[in-house]
Amino acid sequence: MSVLVVGLSHRSAPVPVLERAAISGDDLVKLLHEVHDCAHVGEAAIVSTCNRVEVYAVVDKFHGGVSAISELLSRHSGIPLDDLSRYLYVHYEDRAVQHAFAVACGLESMVVGEGQILGQIRQAFRLATERG
C-alpha cells in the first residue's frame, strides 16, 4: 500500500475551476465514502478549501487509484474528466508525503506560511477517522 495524492490548487487551476471543484458538508462526506469504497483504496482523507481540493489515499495500485479518484472528482465537480484532468496533479509515495508536509506547513498556500491550512488538514483527518 502506498500514499497517493490527487488534487488541484490555486497553482494548477483557475479560480472558476476551484470554485466548481470545492466540496463541503454532506457532499464532502459522500465523496469521502465513495473514494474509500473504490477497489484500490484502503484509506482516504479529503482536504477541501477555497484554494485547493486534494484527495489523500492509501492505495494498492497507482493507476487504479488515480483513475478512480479523478473520475469521482470530475463527477462531484460537474467538470468533464477531459477538462478537469489538465488541472489535476498527482503525487505518489515519498513525493505524496513530502507534499502533505509542504501543504500542512503553509509552503503550498497562496500566502506562504499561512497557518490556517494546518487546522483544515486536522479537520480532514478527524472527519476521515470519524467516518472510518
Side-chain angles (χ1 to χ4, degrees):
M1 299 293 262
S2 299
V3 178
L4 170 69
V5 177
V6 179
L8 62 159
S9 74
H10 65 278
R11 292 183 181 202
S12 69
V15 171
V17 173
L18 287 172
E19 288 174 347
R20 288 183 64 189
I23 304 163
S24 62
D26 291 340
D27 290 336
L28 180 72
V29 173
K30 183 178 178 184
L31 177 60
L32 181 61
H33 283 292
E34 289 178 10
V35 170
H36 185 258
D37 289 344
C38 290
H40 303 291
V41 176
E43 299 178 32
I46 301 171
V47 175
S48 182
T49 72
C50 57
N51 290 321
R52 77 181 58 252
V53 176
E54 295 180 334
V55 176
Y56 291 80
V58 175
V59 298
D60 62 1
K61 295 194 180 199
F62 172 77
H63 293 291
V66 170
S67 178
I69 292 168
S70 298
E71 288 173 15
L72 286 171
L73 286 172
S74 170
R75 192 170 76 224
H76 276 266
S77 67
I79 302 171
L81 184 56
D82 289 341
D83 295 335
L84 183 63
S85 63
R86 76 179 80 166
Y87 303 114
L88 293 176
Y89 47 80
V90 174
H91 301 296
Y92 189 60
E93 294 184 333
D94 292 347
R95 180 66 186 114
V97 174
Q98 182 181 29
H99 176 76
F101 282 116
V103 169
C105 70
L107 292 176
E108 296 289 324
S109 295
M110 197 174 251
V111 176
V112 175
E114 171 270 317
Q116 192 175 24
I117 188 67
L118 183 57
Q120 293 163 329
I121 290 174
R122 281 187 190 128
Q123 184 179 24
F125 178 75
R126 189 176 312 117
L127 178 64
T129 303
E130 288 170 359
R131 300 297 173 153

